[in-house]
Amino acid sequence: MTAQSALRKDPSAAALPTLFSLQRSLNVHSSLLEGLPSLAKILGEALPRCEVHFAFAAGREGSREGGRALPLRYAAGYPEEASKRYIGKEPRMGQFPFGFAMEKDELASGPLSEGGAYLEAPIKHEGLLLGILCLRLPPSAGKDALERATELCLWTRYLIEEEAVLRKSLESRMPREEESLQRPQERQGRDLGSSALSFHGMIGSSAAMREVYAMIGQVAGTSATVLLTGESGTGKELAARAIHECSQRAQGPFIAVNCAALPESIVESELFGHEKGSFTGAVASRVGRFEAAKDGTLFLDEIGDLSLTVQTKLLRILQEKTFERVGGQKTLRTNARIVAATNKDLQSAVRGGSFREDLFFRLNVFPLHIPPLRERGADILLLADHFAEKFSRDSDTRIKRISSPALDLLMIYHWPGNVRELENCISRAAILSSDGVIHSYNLPPSLQSASSTGTEPTSTFDGAVARLEKELLVEALKIERGNSSSAARRLGMTERRFRFALQKYKIDYRGFRTKL
């Protein structure tokens, strides 16, 4: 049974702060083995009077010898005095710690002869035993404590297994060190944040982003046209750069054009270039973006905003790989790879007649959707840490950490502006921070919740409805100057129902009559 199959759909609210801390700890260490002491401490502090023990493969994560996993060794524990008893000892089948999970090869639990109970969960990678997490519960642990320990045990195992998969996937895609020296853009993309996993500048370890990374790896080695779709602020340009840097065109130029920002009168000149004297103000010949992107990649952002005239010319380039400058007679050829992006529904635009159907099918050779931030909940903390570190590097303000209440607000917000909005929120909060910590009150008002601002509802639902109902009755009587029949019609009520409501709230309609 895998870790994921044993989990509920979502962790409980009480477990979220601990899981956030575990995820952050996994990301800041260069290897899983180095991060185990920190994980043991986080779990130990979250489960009072519990012992936490980790056994791990003797080599690197997921390493093998002759097709078998390396033998397990005691790796880390908490508290320190408890872990000293097992350091240097090999796990034994059917014995505490680790032996019960080794024997069953699945989650094991039960009482201990010396008192208390145990929970042991095997951690696997590619079908091999990577390690074992063991919890020892005190004799006083009740049903609630056992359920909380089981939940944290299963989710910790899941986080470690996912981290192992992601690390191996990214490691297999990382170029050799000598290649990195020849490709500074790629090296810069990986070094953007020490506390977050970066794939050519794209931060994220969620399942949705791992799928994006995999698809980029598949299409980068080809010359196929790619159409990036997704909401504004999701990082479509970063994805386009990743495709370029993973391709054989990485040594060539990457030219980005925002089609929505170019006036229609000059968009043809910008894309295709122009000859001297071709129009008023053309005092010299100019190379267009298609020529500038020779042997490289041309990124056409917001392509859905191009006019039908330019769409027709773009279709010819995609079909024939040829074009002419504005006012020119010479036919030029281009070998630039086209990566287009849009936040619009191009299929709806085709049905509406604002986008050419044949161009859509030419662009839609390899569609790649960049998920919105609200579908990447696991990446919010990674991105927040990354932007905080980035702000610290770019300014004199040193941001040490983000407080737990602030993290909670970041996680529950729906992020309509996606990654760009998150970056702006962190930058604003960092500016307002006075102690090197981003607190919940440093975040924009749009992220604030009732609990963080002390504005929780102070009455019941029925009480709030009653206050509103009484207010409506009084306002209607004021407007109609105490005429109950007219006030009832204004509120869409029968006079009988209106009078019952007045009796309920002890309102005298005669007090609202105007004396002439």
Side-chain angles (χ1 to χ4, degrees):
M1 181 171 57
T2 65
Q4 191 169 11
S5 64
L7 293 173
R8 297 179 301 179
K9 183 177 182 180
D10 294 307
S12 65
L16 284 177
T18 303
L19 297 181
F20 293 160
S21 298
L22 292 171
Q23 182 69 66
R24 295 178 70 186
S25 181
L26 283 169
N27 292 328
V28 299
H29 291 93
S30 58
S31 71
L32 294 180
L33 193 60
E34 291 179 4
L36 292 181
S38 176
L39 298 186
K41 183 177 180 181
I42 293 171
L43 284 174
E45 292 176 347
L47 299 169
R49 299 187 302 281
C50 282
E51 294 181 12
V52 182
H53 304 284
F54 278 103
F56 220 65
R60 298 174 59 193
E61 48 260 28
S63 53
R64 311 182 183 196
E65 282 183 351
R68 300 182 63 185
L70 291 172
L72 299 183
R73 295 288 187 273
Y74 189 88
Y78 183 88
E80 185 177 356
E81 57 271 17
S83 65
K84 288 180 179 179
R85 300 197 300 266
Y86 307 107
I87 293 177
K89 296 182 179 180
E90 291 187 28
R92 290 190 159 189
M93 288 282 191
Q95 294 186 12
F96 180 87
F98 314 122
F100 300 106
M102 292 176 64
E103 189 175 49
K104 291 187 175 182
D105 197 30
E106 62 181 21
L107 180 69
S109 63
L112 291 170
S113 58
E114 58 269 30
Y118 68 85
L119 275 172
E120 294 185 355
I123 302 168
K124 297 185 178 181
H125 178 59
E126 296 183 347
L128 298 178
L129 189 61
L130 180 65
I132 296 175
L133 165 60
C134 175
L135 302 179
R136 180 174 182 172
L137 282 69
S140 59
K143 181 180 179 182
D144 292 342
L146 178 60
E147 290 180 354
R148 175 172 170 77
T150 303
E151 180 184 32
L152 289 178
C153 181
L154 289 173
W155 274 101
T156 302
R157 175 177 73 168
Y158 172 72
L159 292 175
I160 296 175
E161 290 179 349
E162 289 293 291
E163 187 74 12
V165 172
L166 178 62
R167 285 175 183 255
K168 182 162 186 180
S169 175
L170 292 180
E171 183 180 341
S172 66
R173 298 181 188 280
M174 293 291 186
R176 295 186 299 272
E177 183 178 354
E178 57 269 21
E179 293 177 344
S180 297
L181 294 175
Q182 298 174 2
R183 296 161 74 170
Q185 285 182 326
E186 181 175 334
R187 186 176 67 253
Q188 180 183 8
R190 291 200 304 271
D191 294 340
L192 278 175
S194 60
S195 68
L197 291 172
S198 172
F199 179 78
H200 297 275
M202 302 178 71
I203 307 296
S205 61
S206 63
M209 290 308 296
R210 289 200 304 272
E211 183 177 352
V212 171
Y213 301 156
M215 295 186 72
I216 288 176
Q218 291 175 337
V219 74
T222 71
S223 296
T225 301
V226 180
L227 178 61
L228 301 173
T229 60
E231 299 174 9
S232 179
T234 53
K236 295 187 289 295
E237 183 169 349
L238 283 177
R241 288 186 180 274
I243 293 172
H244 172 72
E245 292 172 4
C246 290
S247 70
Q248 298 178 351
R249 301 169 178 264
Q251 300 298 324
F254 177 83
I255 305 297
V257 182
N258 188 339
C259 300
L262 295 176
E264 188 173 351
S265 58
I266 66 169
V267 64
E268 291 187 52
S269 174
E270 287 290 330
L271 292 178
F272 312 124
H274 63 257
E275 298 291 353
K276 179 179 179 181
S278 58
F279 54 87
T280 303
V283 296
S285 297
R286 181 181 180 184
V287 173
R289 304 298 177 91
F290 276 95
E291 286 183 78
K294 180 182 179 181
D295 299 325
T297 302
L298 178 62
F299 175 53
L300 300 176
D301 197 10
E302 305 299 348
I303 196 167
D305 293 320
L306 287 176
S307 66
L308 290 172
T309 301
V310 179
Q311 290 177 31
T312 302
K313 295 189 176 183
L314 182 59
L315 177 63
R316 181 189 172 189
I317 293 179
L318 294 176
Q319 290 175 334
E320 308 295 337
K321 300 294 183 182
T322 61
F323 65 98
E324 292 89 26
R325 292 180 180 174
V326 176
Q329 302 294 326
K330 183 179 179 181
T331 299
L332 304 175
R333 296 194 64 83
T334 179
N335 65 348
R337 188 214 189 125
I338 306 299
V339 178
T342 181
N343 60 5
K344 296 182 177 180
D345 184 352
L346 291 187
Q347 289 182 310
S348 297
V350 168
R351 291 192 293 269
S354 60
F355 201 84
R356 291 183 60 109
E357 184 178 21
D358 45 5
L359 177 59
F360 170 73
F361 288 120
R362 283 286 180 180
L363 292 172
N364 201 40
V365 176
F366 192 91
L368 177 56
H369 180 70
I370 309 300
L373 187 56
R374 60 181 172 274
E375 296 178 5
R376 301 169 48 191
D379 297 335
I380 293 176
L381 301 185
L382 296 178
L383 288 163
D385 282 342
H386 166 68
F387 292 137
E389 292 177 3
K390 181 181 177 182
F391 184 87
S392 297
R393 291 196 305 268
D394 297 342
S395 66
D396 295 332
T397 303
R398 174 62 179 166
I399 301 300
K400 300 176 184 178
R401 66 183 180 90
I402 304 175
S403 70
S404 295
L407 292 175
D408 292 340
L409 290 182
L410 294 176
M411 289 298 297
I412 64 177
Y413 186 58
H414 60 289
W415 298 111
N418 293 297
V419 179
R420 187 181 295 119
E421 182 184 9
L422 174 58
E423 180 176 11
N424 294 339
C425 287
I426 296 298
S427 298
R428 176 189 187 275
I431 293 172
L432 295 176
S433 174
S434 58
D435 57 358
V437 178
I438 293 179
H439 298 280
S440 60
Y441 53 79
N442 296 137
L443 296 173
S446 58
L447 270 71
Q448 301 295 335
S449 65
S451 58
S452 67
T453 56
T455 57
E456 297 96 334
T458 57
S459 68
T460 63
F461 176 79
D462 290 338
V465 171
R467 284 197 302 273
L468 177 59
E469 187 177 9
K470 183 176 180 180
E471 182 180 340
L472 290 174
L473 294 172
V474 170
E475 287 297 321
L477 287 171
K478 285 181 179 180
I479 294 173
E480 300 298 338
R481 299 179 180 181
N483 188 323
S484 60
S485 299
S486 299
R489 286 193 296 270
R490 174 175 288 276
L491 295 178
M493 303 168 64
T494 64
E495 291 187 39
R496 184 171 179 271
R497 182 184 173 191
F498 186 81
R499 290 182 182 276
F500 274 128
L502 293 182
Q503 293 175 8
K504 176 182 177 181
Y505 297 109
K506 299 179 180 179
I507 301 174
D508 186 358
Y509 66 92
R510 292 170 292 188
F512 297 91
R513 290 179 177 175
T514 303
K515 295 182 180 180
L516 299 177

